[in-house]
Amino acid sequence: MSIKAIAVNPQQPADFIEIALDMLTPGPFDLLVDVKAASINPVDTKVHGGLKKDGLQQPRILGWDAAGVVISVGEKVTGFRPGDEVWYAGDITRPGSNATQQLVDARIAAHKPRSLNWAQAAALPLTAITAWEALFEHLKIQQASAGQTLLIIGGAGGVGSLAIPLAALRSPLTVIATASRPESAAWCRERGADLTVDYRDLQAQLQQEGIEKVDYILCLNDTDGHWPAISELIAPLGQICTIVENEKPLDQNKLKLKSVALHWEFMFTRSMFSTPDLAQQGEILKQVSQLVDEGKLPGTLSETLHGLTVENLQAAHTQVAGGHMQGKIVITY
């Protein structure tokens, strides 16, 4: 019995093809998972874009969000056994979740929330870990004081949709989110944003609300485009975290004068470099799972496609690449 996967076509990297894989054998720390659903993130489209530009020699399986059932475990795995329902965001250096079976390091996985179905669960891991690391490990908003402010640029996307409720739940901050459309603004407010503003005129919008400076900024899209406003709006001794790489040099002079800290968040750092605290991502997912099952953290699933096919994966990539996603799109297998 072979494993079905949808991969980037090495002959025509702009396209996807269906391929068959040999059966997989777990490494010492691996889970072999029967994948039930996977979501598509901006990182999928970015990696695909790089492959279209640079080419590749072998088919590349994308996908870094999944929920499924454990088939077998490696000899050093603890806490999991066959039949367990799990969720994870995976490792960008390994074959992804656009396949019916996948190997994933057990230390970056956790048991799936009992209250979510497969599609709902697959929508959360990557964005939940990203939001958690950015807010609590880099910005450390849990140490903030009442009356301070957090500006989330890109509030209605996958990461923003979780960063808003996490910040509202675990900090005293006033949460401000950017949203350009009425439906996106409503989405952000439903998740706990105290205020929404249009990112296209950010400084003027905030000034109208009587806000001249903000204490924390989480940038979730277009670091280059938003950098002038970010540099002006951040308060002295403030904290900035961005998840989006810059294409041009970022002028740091205003940050230096205000003694501002700039953090980068990349969810795959721990797995890519096998950091000593690799298992922290599994712990984050455990805590997120508990918050979900307690009804304290809302889901972000906005659309479900059924069937692991070239057509569905291409449609999902096209939608995510458009840059106006509200929540997440998931494919069930």
Side-chain angles (χ1 to χ4, degrees):
M1 179 179 176
S2 62
I3 298 166
K4 175 183 175 181
I6 306 298
V8 180
N9 184 349
Q11 278 70 50
Q12 295 179 298
D15 300 329
F16 293 102
I17 55 172
E18 180 178 323
I19 62 173
L21 304 175
D22 294 334
M23 299 306 293
L24 302 172
T25 302
F29 289 100
D30 284 342
L31 305 176
L32 175 59
V33 178
D34 178 15
V35 181
K36 300 296 186 181
S39 73
I40 289 76
N41 293 279
V43 66
D44 296 63
T45 62
K46 289 178 181 178
V47 172
H48 190 201
L51 296 175
K52 287 189 284 187
K53 179 181 177 181
D54 301 330
L56 70 165
Q57 299 300 313
Q58 301 292 330
R60 175 79 186 273
I61 303 170
L62 308 181
W64 294 285
D65 248 345
V69 179
V70 176
I71 299 171
S72 59
V73 304
E75 60 185 18
K76 293 186 178 181
V77 170
T78 59
F80 297 96
R81 61 185 180 182
D84 284 352
E85 296 182 352
V86 295
W87 66 341
Y88 51 89
D91 178 346
I92 201 169
T93 67
R94 303 182 73 176
S97 54
N98 297 155
T100 55
Q101 293 183 18
Q102 181 186 12
L103 292 172
V104 62
D105 193 307
R107 293 169 292 184
I108 59 173
H111 293 92
K112 178 183 81 67
R114 295 183 301 276
S115 59
L116 300 186
N117 63 30
W118 295 117
Q120 292 167 332
L124 290 175
L126 187 149
T127 48
I129 295 172
T130 300
W132 189 287
E133 291 181 346
L135 293 174
F136 305 131
E137 296 183 356
H138 299 310
L139 294 178
K140 295 182 171 62
I141 65 168
Q142 67 274 23
Q143 300 175 7
S145 303
Q148 290 188 303
T149 48
L150 165 67
L151 172 63
I152 298 176
I153 299 175
V159 177
S161 296
L162 289 171
I164 291 170
L166 283 172
L169 189 63
R170 295 205 163 188
S171 84
L173 292 168
T174 296
V175 180
I176 307 163
T178 68
S180 60
R181 297 173 295 164
E183 57 268 31
S184 298
W187 175 274
C188 292
R189 289 192 296 269
E190 289 169 4
R191 274 148 184 75
D194 298 294
L195 176 67
T196 58
V197 293
D198 193 326
Y199 69 85
R200 291 171 293 194
D201 198 9
L202 196 48
Q203 288 173 270
Q205 290 258 311
L206 288 171
Q207 287 172 355
Q208 288 176 13
E209 300 291 338
I211 300 171
E212 295 291 335
K213 301 293 182 184
V214 292
D215 301 287
Y216 300 87
I217 297 177
L218 176 56
C219 182
L220 304 176
N221 60 46
D222 192 10
T223 300
D224 290 282
H226 293 300
W227 190 251
I230 288 172
S231 300
E232 288 289 344
L233 287 169
I234 191 66
L237 304 177
Q239 305 272 337
I240 300 167
C241 183
T242 181
I243 69 170
V244 183
E245 64 275 18
N246 56 302
E247 295 182 2
K248 299 176 182 178
L250 300 176
D251 185 350
Q252 306 279 323
N253 289 327
K254 290 182 180 178
L255 271 61
K256 190 265 182 185
L257 294 175
K258 292 189 278 189
S259 297
V260 168
L262 172 62
H263 308 270
W264 293 95
E265 160 59 16
F266 185 52
M267 195 225 70
F268 295 112
T269 296
R270 281 176 160 132
S271 56
M272 180 179 287
F273 294 99
S274 298
T275 61
D277 64 349
L278 174 68
Q280 175 63 14
Q281 290 196 336
E283 292 300 318
I284 291 171
L285 286 177
K286 287 181 185 178
Q287 293 186 64
V288 172
S289 182
Q290 182 175 348
L291 290 173
V292 169
D293 281 340
E294 291 174 351
K296 295 178 179 178
L297 194 63
T300 59
L301 176 65
S302 57
E303 184 176 351
T304 304
L305 303 178
H306 301 282
L308 180 61
T309 66
V310 169
E311 293 75 18
N312 278 343
L313 190 58
Q314 184 60 66
H317 271 244
T318 299
Q319 191 165 334
V320 172
H324 296 288
M325 279 294 299
Q326 184 174 293
K328 295 289 292 295
I329 185 169
V330 171
I331 301 174
T332 58
Y333 298 174

